[in-house]
Amino acid sequence: LARAALGLVLILVVPGLLAGRWFGVRGLPAVLGVVPALSLAMNVASGLILLAVLRRPLDPAMAWATVGLSTAAGGALLWLARRR
């Protein structure tokens, strides 16, 4: 149960929380509403990019690579937001 909860946090919270500052998400109500949708959108976009580039079926390794890519993109957006 804890491992599933950790996986959901990695998928639905971390990328959007990292990229939230870049998109101007401020305040608790905005964070609660926007961060999960932003995380899901970043995961879907990175998954589509990986599947298009690598052209192989989605397996567990590809799914974790998708989560890693979206988290890295969120980290890059956080770095850019702090830089400006």
Side-chain angles (χ1 to χ4, degrees), residues 65-82:
T66 298
V67 172
L69 180 64
S70 65
T71 303
L77 289 175
L78 175 66
W79 180 74
L80 286 173
R82 286 187 179 178

Side-chain angles (χ1 to χ4, degrees), residues 43-73:
N43 277 309
V44 168
S46 63
L48 286 173
I49 290 169
L50 276 178
L51 288 172
V53 169
L54 297 178
R55 297 183 63 155
R56 46 180 252 210
L58 183 67
D59 58 354
M62 180 76 77
W64 283 113
T66 298
V67 172
L69 180 64
S70 65
T71 303

Side-chain angles (χ1 to χ4, degrees), residues 14-41:
V14 174
L17 198 59
L18 290 173
R21 183 180 281 182
W22 170 261
F23 290 104
V25 178
R26 305 238 191 284
L28 184 63
V31 168
L32 290 176
V34 173
V35 165
L38 184 58
S39 294
L40 190 60

